[in-house]
Amino acid sequence: PAMRNWIYPGEQILQKQSIYPDTYSGERHTKVDAHRPIPNRPLRVICAGPSFQIGGVEQHTVSLARFFDPRRVRLVRSLVTNRANFHAPSATRLPFPVSTCSPTELARAAGQCDVLLMWGEGYNGRLGKNRPIGVYLAHGESTWTRLGLEGCSEVVDHVIAVSSRVKQSVCRGFPTTTILNGVDTSRMGQSRSRDAAREKLNFNAGD
């Protein structure tokens, strides 16, 4: 996208390998065994992405950490594949470890969780043989999101789109569920009373 002046690792490769969305059928998907038993414990989820700063995906992760039922699902770690895009102060908001990782550490972590929640780049060939269920978070409708999704064609089992438009624009060929971005009202501040705010804006009593 024109607004971005830096490139995630591997994005240049993805750009060369991109498949046109109108013709992509998802035939390269390699699914995990749908019949494998569900563990008798909370599912372990690890997040993986090319950055951890102040942004939509990071806010999404924070919300998941707050609202998942810990009796069923637990976010245990968040991995950042690009050390240059790791903002440590933001990571302190999460109740689980956030750290950068090497390719070896990423593959090892993939073998230690039940679900890998991915975003932002391709993960084909990076997760090892005993990969978990792969879920890709499509958080935008740009070509960059589509390139990352195509680069996960062999390891993604389901896609979460944050809007119907995102689903229609970039998720064709992949099984996708739309889960709208929520609004965390606890982050909204109020510094003055309703009457004081109306007076400041020159509202009359009947307005």
Side-chain angles (χ1 to χ4, degrees):
M3 294 294 291
R4 187 156 49 90
N5 57 10
W6 42 267
I7 298 177
Y8 285 135
E11 185 175 343
Q12 291 174 322
I13 297 175
L14 287 176
Q15 289 173 345
K16 294 178 182 178
Q17 296 178 343
S18 177
I19 302 171
Y20 291 107
D22 289 340
T23 59
Y24 184 51
S25 64
E27 294 175 353
R28 292 183 295 160
H29 291 193
T30 303
K31 302 301 182 185
V32 296
D33 184 3
H35 302 290
R36 68 182 180 182
I38 298 175
N40 188 25
R41 54 167 173 74
L43 292 175
R44 296 187 301 261
V45 179
I46 290 179
C47 302
S51 71
F52 198 96
Q53 301 186 28
I54 300 296
V57 175
E58 290 83 357
Q59 294 297 338
H60 189 100
T61 305
V62 171
S63 297
L64 287 178
R66 289 182 57 193
F67 294 107
F68 267 158
D69 183 347
R71 296 169 298 180
R72 303 182 63 183
V73 182
R74 292 180 183 173
L75 286 168
V76 296
R77 292 181 66 188
S78 184
L79 300 175
V80 182
T81 60
N82 188 339
R83 298 177 187 274
N85 296 321
F86 176 51
H87 186 248
S90 299
T92 61
R93 302 175 56 194
L94 291 175
F96 54 81
V98 182
S99 61
T100 58
C101 68
S102 67
T104 300
E105 291 168 334
L106 175 64
R108 184 185 304 120
Q112 297 173 344
C113 64
D114 302 301
V115 179
L116 185 67
L117 181 62
M118 306 168 283
W119 72 277
E121 58 184 351
Y123 290 88
N124 288 345
R126 302 172 64 185
L127 305 183
K129 295 181 179 180
N130 298 318
R131 75 171 182 86
I133 294 173
V135 177
Y136 195 90
L137 178 59
H139 206 271
E141 56 188 87
S142 67
T143 302
W144 169 64
T145 301
R146 180 65 192 190
L147 289 172
L149 185 52
E150 290 181 7
C152 291
S153 61
E154 298 172 3
V155 296
V156 68
D157 298 285
H158 204 81
V159 179
I160 296 175
V162 299
S163 71
S164 298
R165 184 177 177 88
V166 169
K167 180 178 179 179
Q168 295 168 0
S169 299
V170 301
C171 299
R172 285 191 294 271
F174 294 88
T176 303
T177 298
T178 299
I179 302 178
L180 300 177
N181 268 339
V183 176
D184 185 358
T185 56
S186 67
R187 299 180 63 212
M188 297 180 179
Q190 181 175 336
S191 59
R192 63 188 69 184
S193 69
R194 181 176 184 274
D195 290 341
R198 288 175 60 84
E199 182 180 356
K200 178 70 175 179
L201 297 172
N202 296 317
F203 284 135
N204 296 318
D207 291 341

